[in-house]
Amino acid sequence: MIDISQKEVWFVVGSQELYGEETLRKVAEHSQIIAKGLDASPSIPVKVVYKDVVKSPSQILDVCLAANSAKNCIGIIAWMHTFSPAKMWIGGLNILKKPLCHLHTQYNAEIPWGSIDMDFMNLNQSAHGDREFGFIMSRLRKKRKVVVGHWEDERVQKKLGIWSRVALGWDELQNLKVARIGDNMREVAVTEGDKVEAQIRFGVSVNGYDSSDVTKHIEKVTEKELNDLLGVYESSYNLTDSLKEGGAQRSSLVEAAKIELGLRAFLEEGGFGAFTDTFENLGVWKQLPGIATQRLMADGYGFGGEGDWKTAAMVRALKVMCVGLEGGTSFMEDYTYHFTPQKSYVLGSHMLEICPSIADGKPSCEVHPLGIGGKEDPARLVFNSPAGDAINVSLVDMGTRFRLIVNEVEAVKPMAELPKLPVARVLWDCKPNLEVAATAWILAGGAHHTVYSQSLTTEYMEDFADIAGIELLVIDEKTTIREFKDKINANEAYYHLFQHGL
């Protein structure tokens, strides 16, 4: 359900009229070659579209206005081939609403030592043209990503690809609708938040619905739809004997399939890209959605448990960012610890809803008592997650601003089998270690719900925070508590001044 095939970034090149027709012809020729090269790069997941070289304030304003209104344009990559006086850019940059990446490159990779002359120097002036452009963006307090290096360099293309993917996620949020089925889990603080401010800041629309709104779709499920989905379950997962046709718990799997079909139809009809539910408000549903939620997430939907709409929106945004990348992305929760004198770990899981995109092998489909919510035993997918680097991401509402918190972690293989644990799970080692990471996370006000991703890195989240204009706190191998506290205190002052335009 995630289609990025029509999305594009515009390659906008700056110059000025005084260079004359011959030089400007060369500028355009070089710019088109670079745009085609970037468009062909496997690292950049969207189309790179060349726009004419802009040489005046009116041309710059026009291209920025056009980018704002172009539905498929998710951002602009800007480069100054020659010197482009930056006062010309003020009007355009002031109204530009799309993400901006400043590519600091040049057409040629090396200096042609034997032939270089002043004509060459006049044509290839990005070394100082981009500095002029950088000044005006800094003067305007314009958040952007800066990528430095030759455009044919794989490292440069990968960085442009990261920014492009983040721009995709940001574009998704601008029109994302989150269905909050039921309200927040009662008395819980961190999953609440200002939905109006979230729509102003991120574009995401969050509205409440009752379980009965989904029930109407569940009641319309046909026998054929039900049997077809049960067939998918049987071919895709290892069903326990009790869930196979004729098994003692088969009726639970049938009920889970009805809920999935009804929930999917509700989301599709409403144009929702993410949703939440809560076990305290299920209405006539016989069980909390387990396998239904897991499979919807695997198809790209965002999800947050217990009414957590912020995490649901972020799950969706990160899933859009990582389309085509290896590894998975899932709703997650820090559940329990493994403390030892040598090394301590976190066991991440949830009651039911962990996305099988992070499964290590074919999941098992099982039914077990939930022990909370007072409903029938739900069906769910059970699996371990593969080892490897990952990030945990939490978006929280601090009252005066949104804060994005990232912890870099390394997933590891569990030290033993978990035969009685009836949920999907991940065991990870926090960086720099559990003591520092958990201390910093708690000091930052990080939530117990997160987005766990094996596809993305901290760089993606740094780009996202810049585009969104929100606070970012990173917990990584270099984190110390004293410096982390200083960062939090400094940010309090910075964002207070920023809000008041000082």
Side-chain angles (χ1 to χ4, degrees):
M1 64 163 293
I2 299 175
D3 180 14
I4 65 172
S5 61
Q6 299 305 308
K7 299 299 181 180
E8 57 192 39
V9 294
W10 289 4
F11 188 57
V12 177
V13 180
S15 187
Q16 59 180 324
E17 294 286 2
L18 67 80
Y19 290 107
E21 184 178 335
E22 177 61 21
T23 296
L24 291 175
R25 186 184 63 77
K26 279 290 186 182
V27 168
E29 178 185 316
H30 292 172
S31 301
Q32 290 176 68
I33 292 172
I34 294 175
K36 288 179 181 178
L38 297 179
D39 185 54
S41 171
S43 298
I44 301 175
V46 296
K47 300 174 184 176
V48 178
V49 178
Y50 166 73
K51 293 294 173 178
D52 289 340
V53 177
V54 290
K55 305 175 288 293
S56 68
S58 61
Q59 290 177 351
I60 293 167
L61 182 63
D62 286 347
V63 77
C64 290
L65 285 169
N68 285 345
S69 61
K71 185 176 180 181
N72 290 335
C73 176
I74 62 170
I76 285 178
I77 299 174
W79 170 53
M80 306 302 111
H81 190 312
T82 63
F83 195 79
S84 179
K87 286 173 66 177
M88 297 195 306
W89 286 84
I90 293 174
L93 291 174
N94 271 334
I95 59 92
L96 182 63
K97 300 298 183 183
K98 296 292 176 76
L100 177 63
C101 178
H102 182 189
L103 176 59
H104 184 43
T105 190
Q106 62 185 23
Y107 176 70
N108 58 297
E110 300 178 357
I111 294 173
W113 303 107
S115 62
I116 187 170
D117 56 18
M118 281 312 299
D119 288 339
F120 182 94
M121 297 282 274
N122 284 333
L123 176 61
N124 298 282
Q125 296 189 45
S126 53
H128 60 283
D130 278 326
R131 283 171 166 77
E132 166 78 353
F133 185 57
F135 165 75
I136 202 61
M137 286 192 289
S138 295
R139 177 67 176 81
L140 294 172
R141 281 31 173 202
K142 187 76 176 179
K143 293 289 187 181
R144 74 282 191 190
K145 184 181 182 76
V146 179
V147 178
V148 179
H150 193 255
W151 59 274
E152 290 182 302
D153 192 324
E154 184 181 6
R155 179 190 60 82
V156 168
Q157 294 181 3
K158 284 183 176 179
K159 283 187 171 291
L160 292 173
I162 289 172
W163 173 82
S164 299
R165 288 182 174 280
V166 176
L168 280 168
W170 179 251
D171 177 71
E172 175 66 20
L173 286 178
Q174 303 314 295
N175 303 291
L176 179 64
K177 294 170 63 178
V178 179
R180 207 174 186 211
I181 304 168
D183 201 352
N184 198 57
M185 182 177 173
R186 295 166 196 151
E187 304 295 347
V188 176
V190 75
T191 48
E192 289 282 11
D194 189 336
K195 294 188 285 293
V196 174
E197 182 61 27
Q199 190 161 355
I200 293 170
R201 172 63 59 182
F202 304 107
V204 59
S205 172
V206 184
N207 287 290
Y209 296 84
D210 189 72
S211 60
S212 62
D213 293 311
V214 181
T215 301
K216 290 183 287 188
H217 292 274
I218 295 175
E219 292 171 346
K220 294 178 182 178
V221 172
T222 67
E223 197 71 21
K224 182 181 185 308
E225 289 174 326
L226 186 59
N227 289 331
D228 286 348
L229 183 54
L230 289 170
V232 172
Y233 290 173
E234 290 165 355
S235 63
S236 301
Y237 314 114
N238 295 316
L239 272 62
T240 58
D241 289 342
S242 65
L243 292 182
K244 295 176 181 177
E245 193 168 359
Q249 294 178 307
R250 180 71 171 188
S251 61
S252 180
L253 188 64
V254 171
E255 191 62 35
K258 289 180 181 178
I259 292 174
E260 178 181 339
L261 289 165
L263 185 52
R264 191 181 291 273
F266 165 78
L267 295 171
E268 289 176 354
E269 181 182 79
F272 301 107
F275 69 101
T276 72
D277 60 25
T278 174
F279 54 82
E280 291 177 315
N281 191 351
L282 295 176
V284 299
W285 297 4
K286 293 183 179 180
Q287 58 182 253
L288 180 65
I291 189 172
T293 298
Q294 291 177 293
R295 283 173 47 80
L296 285 164
M297 265 196 289
D299 286 341
Y301 284 96
F303 173 77
E306 294 95 48
D308 189 352
W309 55 270
K310 296 187 298 299
T311 302
M314 288 300 292
V315 169
R316 173 63 178 180
L318 268 64
K319 280 187 172 291
V320 171
M321 291 180 200
C322 68
V323 168
L325 296 179
E326 293 184 0
T329 296
S330 177
F331 171 70
M332 188 58 68
E333 182 171 80
D334 294 69
Y335 224 99
T336 194
Y337 291 139
H338 180 68
F339 283 126
T340 73
Q342 295 78 29
K343 175 76 76 171
S344 297
Y345 300 91
V346 178
L347 184 66
S349 186
H350 203 251
M351 296 183 297
L352 300 171
E353 309 97 340
I354 300 300
C355 180
S357 68
I358 65 168
D360 188 10
K362 191 174 184 179
S364 172
C365 185
E366 307 174 13
V367 169
H368 299 279
L370 185 58
I372 192 170
K375 293 288 185 176
E376 295 179 3
D377 302 339
R380 82 291 303 270
L381 300 177
V382 179
F383 52 83
N384 289 324
S385 187
D389 292 334
I391 54 173
N392 267 312
V393 179
S394 175
L395 179 67
V396 294
D397 184 348
M398 299 303 294
T400 57
R401 64 188 181 278
F402 287 98
R403 171 180 285 171
L404 190 67
I405 308 159
V406 179
N407 185 202
E408 297 179 358
V409 303
E410 182 183 357
V412 299
K413 183 179 179 180
M415 290 74 179
E417 297 297 319
L418 299 160
K420 295 185 178 181
L421 185 61
V423 289
R425 59 270 177 160
V426 187
L427 186 69
W428 67 73
D429 177 16
C430 298
K431 294 181 181 180
N433 55 60
L434 177 56
E435 179 184 357
V436 172
T439 301
W441 191 273
I442 290 169
L443 286 170
H448 52 287
H449 290 165
T450 64
V451 188
Y452 174 86
S453 181
Q454 297 172 315
S455 303
L456 307 177
T457 64
T458 299
E459 185 174 354
Y460 290 82
M461 297 301 98
E462 182 178 359
D463 288 354
F464 177 83
D466 281 340
I467 290 173
I470 61 173
E471 180 184 9
L472 174 68
L473 292 173
V474 176
I475 305 166
D476 59 15
E477 194 66 55
K478 298 179 180 179
T479 298
T480 67
I481 296 303
R482 182 177 296 129
E483 291 179 350
F484 197 77
K485 286 180 178 179
D486 288 343
K487 178 69 176 295
I488 291 174
N489 291 334
N491 284 1
E492 290 289 348
Y494 170 83
Y495 284 96
H496 175 76
L497 295 172
F498 180 79
Q499 284 179 329
H500 291 85
L502 301 175

